[in-house]
Amino acid sequence: MTEEERLAAVGREIRILSLLEASERAGLSPLSSTQLHALAYLANVLAPVWDLVPETGVLLKLRGGPYYPALQEDVDRLVSMTLVEVLQTRFVQSDDGVWRFDGQFQLNGARTAPILEHARTFEDEREVHEMIL
C-alpha cells in the first residue's frame, strides 16, 4: 500500500469513527451494519451541502439499504485494531442468497477518544466532524 493509499484509508477510518461517535451521542449506539451503511450513505449525500467531498466507491443497493463493501472492510479493520467493538453477532442472508457475518458496532471509547480529539485538530477532519454531529 502506498503512502497516499494509507492516508486515504486513515481518512475513511476517521470518518467511520466519527459516524459511530455521532450515533453514540444521539443515543443510537450500537449500530447494526445496515444502520451504519445507511448513515454513511446519508453523510455522503449531505457532504456537498457542507462543501465537503463525499466518500466515493462501490455502492450496492440491497433490499435492506445501501451497502459499501469498502466501508465494511474499513470497519472490519477498525474491529481488528480494537477501536470498534462488535456486539450481538449473527449470520444474515444477502439478496443473492449468500450468507455473511453481521453484528452491531460501537466505539471502544477509551481507545478512540484521543484519536478523534487529535483528528479534530486538522481543519478537514473538524469540518467532517461538524457535519456528522
Side-chain angles (χ1 to χ4, degrees):
M1 181 180 289
T2 67
E3 184 65 20
E4 186 175 309
E5 291 170 332
R6 183 64 199 138
L7 287 174
V10 168
R12 292 191 315 270
E13 291 165 354
I14 295 294
R15 192 169 284 199
I16 291 166
L17 294 176
S18 294
L19 288 170
L20 289 170
E21 181 186 37
S23 72
E24 210 171 78
R25 287 185 180 192
L28 302 173
S29 185
L31 287 181
S32 70
S33 179
T34 302
Q35 292 170 322
L36 180 56
H37 286 263
L39 188 58
Y41 176 79
L42 181 61
N44 284 336
V45 168
L46 292 175
V49 173
W50 290 75
D51 293 325
L52 298 172
V53 177
E55 289 292 320
T56 59
V58 175
L59 169 65
L60 302 176
K61 296 176 184 176
L62 303 179
R63 186 175 349 143
Y67 181 81
Y68 295 94
L71 178 129
Q72 192 59 52
E73 287 178 19
D74 292 336
V75 170
D76 294 346
R77 190 171 36 261
L78 290 167
V79 168
S80 72
M81 293 188 301
T82 69
L83 297 174
V84 172
E85 299 172 335
V86 181
L87 310 169
Q88 301 176 7
T89 58
R90 63 191 175 123
F91 287 96
V92 294
Q93 193 171 19
S94 66
D95 293 344
D96 57 2
V98 175
W99 288 91
R100 64 180 173 83
F101 191 69
D102 194 24
Q104 294 191 330
F105 302 97
Q106 70 180 19
L107 289 179
N108 179 342
R111 300 239 1 195
T112 57
I115 294 168
L116 288 169
E117 185 177 321
H118 180 70
R120 286 190 283 274
T121 64
F122 298 95
E123 184 178 349
D124 289 348
E125 294 307 323
R126 191 171 46 255
E127 289 173 356
V128 168
H129 177 76
E130 289 171 2
M131 177 204 56
I132 290 172
L133 290 181

